[in-house]
Every structure is written in C-alpha cells, then in structure tokens.
Amino acid sequence: MAATLILEPADRCCWDEPVRIAVRGLAPEQRVTLRTSLHDEKGALFRAHARYRADARGELDLERVPSLGGSFAGLEPMGLLWALKPEKALVRLVKRDVRTPFAVELEVLDGHDPEPGRLLCRAQNKRDFLQPGVRREPVRAGRVRAALFLPPGKGPFPGVIDLFGSGGGLCEYRASLLAGHGFAVLALAYFRFEDLPEDLNDVRLEYFEEAADFMLQHPEVKGPSIGLLGFSKGGDLCLSMASFLKGITATVLINACVANTVTPLHYKDMIIPKLVDDLGKVKITKSGFLTFMDTWSNPLEERNHQSLIPLEKAQGPFLFIVGMDDQNWKSEFYAQIASERLQAHGKERPQIICYPETGHCIDPPYFPPSRASVHAVLGEAIFYGGEPKAHSKAQVDAWQQIQTFFRKHLNGKKCVKHSKI
C-alpha cells in the first residue's frame, strides 16, 4: 500500500487552528523524515524537518509519536509549523495581505539524515487569515487609516482596537484572526502608512480618540465600550488611550511599558514626555544583534515622573502578557509597576501572565518565534529573545488568554478553553 499523508482539517484551515498530521501505509517501524516549507509574499523560503519512526502497523500520528530530532525533538504536533526557519537569516514570517492564505507544503521522505531517500507522499495545507464569512473593510474615516474586520453573522459584536509597535505600517493579521473568534477588530495604523506621518515624532492622542469614536459609533460594534490590544510601543499607546479616553473597559498589553516611550505624546494642552533613553547603552550580542533593554531608564526615577502613564484613571481592567526573556525592555518589571500603582490607588490588580523563555514578539499561534530580525524602521538586526519551543507554547496560551479576557469584560461570556502550557 502506498504511503498517504493525512491532514485534519483536510487541505485548508485558519492559521491559528491546529492541524493533525498523520501518515499511513508505511512499513512497520519505517524511518521517515517529514519536511515542511512555505514562501512568504516576498518569496522568502521557510523550512522545517523532523525525523520519525512509524509504529508496528506502519502508521505515524504526530499527536502520539515524538520527533527523534531535526528542527525540534519530542512530542510536538505542530512543530513542523512553528519550527519553520528562514533560508535567509533575520527574515521574520509575517502576513501582509490577509486576503490570501499561506500555502504550507508537506513531504514525507524515506529514511533519516544526512540525506533522506525518495519522496513517499506529499500534501498541501492552505492556512487562511480570514475565516469564511469574516469581512474586511478598509477604513478612511476622517484622519483614521485602518482596516476593520467583522465576524460572520449578525452583529453587533464586541469591539477591539489592535495596535502594533514601532515598525509602523498597517499590520492586519492579528486583527483578522481575532475577528474569526467573534470580535469586531480595527487594525489601526498610526505612522508609515498612506498619508500618515512617515516618522514616529508627532503623536497625538486625538488621532486614537477618533479611532475609538469610530468604533463606538459603528452599528456593528456592541457598546457601550470597546477593548484595546497593544504590542510593544502600541502597548503604551493603549495604556494612554485607556487612561485618558472614554468608552474603554478592557486593555491587553503584550510586552509593553508603563511610561510613554520613543516620542512625546500630545493630547489637547497636555504633553507626556518620552521615557528617558540612552542609545549609548545599546548592547551588541556575540552574533552581532542589537539589544535595547539597557537603553531605557527606570520609569520610577524622578526625571521620568511625567512620563508615567496614569493608568489608575482607566475605566476597566488590564491584562499584561509578559515574555520573561524579552530583550527589548523589562516587560515583567513594567507590569509589576502597573500592579503596584493600581493597588496604591485602590484599583483592581491587573492580571499578569509571565511566560518563561519567551521573547518580545508574541504573535498568534504557530507563527515561528522571531528571536532576531531586521527592524522595519531602524534597518538594524534586533535581538528579541526567547527559546523557540517555549515561545511557541506561550503564543498558543496567550492567544486563548486574550480571547477569554475580552469575552469576560466586553461580552460577559467565557467560551475559550485554556490550554496547558
């Protein structure tokens, strides 16, 4: 009987959905190598491989059989996806056009390294970023430049604004995936996109207020409030939004600072200065990558008093997601500052989830962890930290935690199971 590669779901699924990989029709205890590959939208090639041994019936199920080595080892049913590595160093896998899928090629070859033998079977898994029925609407409302993602079915839906960091542009993949779980999500650009400022040097909270008002007034968004999801620089912007703007009752921060960073923030007649930094303290790793953790001064120092964001003014709870090996800044320390400040003002303690051996860029599930990549604005290779296996597990759990938090505080429902990490 010829070997057959079986995927469940077959052929196509959403990117954040696990796929069961199995092989049938092998010889009893046959040694095989499984390989995956995909090309991103710029043509960059990503690859992973793992060595396995079939059981006595000639079957192989990655949910039951551990990898004997390769790109990863041990029982890792989705390892062939999260372990994908770029053929060219420092290329990070991101999705730019969420309207098209990533096509993952899977191959089964006879034997093990150093050179596996003949090709036994192959299959393709198309991984979508828009679940069936999810609607994408470009937003050009006043000054706001964004993309709105609406779930299938009849609304209104709990609303979330999604902000990325200092790389700029419009990043849609997290928003598009989250919309598949029942949220109306606005992926919001704030520089380096269309007619927005090219540089991050004149940031005004009124722009983000306009975006919040757009969501609060949208007929498909369930009021009377919305949530915020922010990563890195986008995280401290979300903190400022939650602290100064109305109608925000749930805020999730992924490796964010409790002070305003990078550039001063203007709002009406107020200016929040940036956290004092010293680029002379940039460190270079043995591999030649830059780390910025030591460039940031302590937000609790007197000179940074005006830079601290008054998060005790916020109307709703916070969830801090922390990578404990974040090499960009001291995310765990910042989350602790937030907790102590909120409690000192008699406010609810924030939920803080710390993930060991996890770096700065915590993406949705199954994105290969990016330990280092070239920064879109700086043009330099930045070291972000994290160990791939632990980081990948953190991404799965954090994704579920985000949904649970928003369902609880925006919808009053809990319907996402916690994964075991």
Side-chain angles (χ1 to χ4, degrees):
M1 184 173 66
T4 305
L5 187 55
I6 300 168
L7 305 179
E8 298 178 6
D11 302 328
R12 197 163 198 148
C13 63
C14 213
W15 179 271
D16 62 346
E17 183 179 356
V19 61
R20 185 169 185 173
I21 303 172
V23 187
R24 293 177 184 167
L26 298 170
E29 299 187 355
Q30 182 176 351
R31 295 170 179 260
V32 292
T33 298
L34 271 64
R35 294 196 308 209
T36 48
S37 64
L38 71 77
H39 288 86
D40 72 5
E41 290 143 319
K42 292 185 175 181
L45 176 62
F46 293 76
R47 289 174 170 168
H49 74 282
R51 299 184 289 273
Y52 290 94
R53 178 182 291 172
D55 63 18
R57 296 176 297 177
E59 296 182 354
L60 174 63
D61 184 343
L62 269 59
E63 290 189 349
R64 296 187 294 108
V65 179
S67 164
L68 302 175
S71 301
F72 59 92
L75 188 63
E76 295 291 336
M78 291 294 289
L80 286 168
L81 202 63
W82 64 250
L84 286 165
K85 290 185 177 180
E87 187 177 50
K88 184 179 178 181
L90 302 176
V91 176
R92 181 182 175 194
L93 182 64
V94 296
K95 194 71 175 78
R96 295 172 178 85
D97 183 357
V98 298
R99 296 167 294 185
T100 61
F102 271 145
V104 181
E105 304 290 341
L106 298 98
E107 298 177 326
V108 182
L109 299 100
D110 184 32
H112 287 173
D113 292 343
E115 286 297 328
R118 63 188 177 92
L119 177 68
L120 300 176
C121 54
R122 70 193 325 162
Q124 185 184 79
N125 177 221
K126 289 186 177 180
R127 304 187 65 80
D128 291 303
F129 287 79
L130 289 175
Q131 281 196 14
V134 170
R135 294 160 285 166
R136 177 189 180 274
E137 298 180 358
V139 176
R140 307 292 179 269
R143 292 173 296 179
V144 175
R145 301 293 178 263
L148 177 63
F149 294 90
L150 297 169
K154 185 178 180 180
F157 308 98
V160 175
I161 295 178
D162 183 23
L163 289 176
F164 272 77
S166 60
L170 180 60
C171 298
E172 302 181 17
Y173 62 88
R174 191 167 61 197
S176 67
L177 291 172
L178 193 56
H181 297 279
F183 299 94
V185 189
L186 186 74
L188 180 62
Y190 54 98
F191 79 109
R192 292 189 80 226
F193 181 71
E194 294 188 348
D195 58 349
L196 294 175
E198 185 64 23
D199 301 312
L200 191 60
N201 55 16
D202 185 21
V203 180
R204 299 184 177 273
L205 199 58
E206 285 88 351
Y207 173 79
F208 302 91
E209 187 172 35
E210 194 173 331
D213 289 342
F214 170 85
M215 289 292 282
L216 289 165
Q217 296 167 14
H218 198 286
E220 297 259 30
V221 175
K222 181 181 180 180
S225 62
I226 58 172
L228 304 175
L229 173 58
F231 160 67
S232 195
K233 172 59 188 174
D236 71 66
L237 286 170
C238 284
L239 275 178
S240 293
M241 292 174 70
S243 301
F244 293 108
L245 307 183
K246 296 179 180 179
I248 295 165
T249 55
T251 305
V252 178
L253 298 317
I254 302 174
N255 286 331
C257 187
V258 289
N260 179 56
T261 63
V262 183
T263 187
L265 177 66
H266 300 258
Y267 185 50
K268 298 180 179 177
D269 58 353
M270 176 187 66
I271 300 177
I272 302 179
K274 70 171 185 174
L275 181 70
V276 175
D277 56 42
D278 182 357
L279 294 180
K281 294 183 178 180
V282 171
K283 291 185 177 179
I284 302 177
T285 69
K286 293 180 179 179
S287 301
F289 306 144
L290 305 183
T291 62
F292 284 86
M293 184 186 295
D294 293 335
T295 66
W296 308 104
S297 58
N298 188 334
L300 298 179
E301 293 177 358
E302 181 64 29
R303 59 178 176 165
N304 288 317
H305 180 72
Q306 297 299 320
S307 299
L308 275 171
I309 300 166
L311 67 167
E312 66 276 2
K313 294 182 178 181
Q315 302 171 31
F318 295 96
L319 167 60
F320 284 82
I321 292 173
V322 174
M324 296 180 70
D325 192 35
D326 181 359
Q327 297 296 310
N328 198 65
W329 46 30
K330 300 174 183 178
S331 299
E332 185 179 8
F333 175 53
Y334 299 154
Q336 191 57 42
I337 292 175
S339 181
E340 292 173 0
R341 180 164 183 141
L342 286 168
Q343 291 179 78
H345 285 83
K347 295 299 186 77
E348 179 183 350
R349 177 186 299 178
Q351 184 180 355
I352 301 174
I353 304 175
C354 296
Y355 295 102
E357 298 181 294
T358 300
H360 185 65
C361 305
I362 301 179
D363 272 321
Y366 314 125
F367 273 96
S370 179
R371 300 193 72 210
S373 64
V374 176
H375 191 276
V377 174
L378 299 176
E380 299 282 356
I382 310 298
F383 182 61
Y384 294 116
E387 294 299 326
K389 182 180 289 191
H391 193 114
S392 69
K393 292 182 185 300
Q395 291 188 158
V396 173
D397 189 73
W399 190 236
Q400 296 177 335
Q401 297 281 2
I402 290 167
Q403 294 173 53
T404 298
F405 181 83
F406 281 142
R407 290 191 191 283
K408 178 180 178 180
H409 297 292
L410 297 178
N411 212 16
K413 295 181 180 179
K414 294 181 183 179
C415 61
V416 179
K417 295 180 180 179
H418 292 266
S419 70
K420 293 181 180 179
I421 186 168

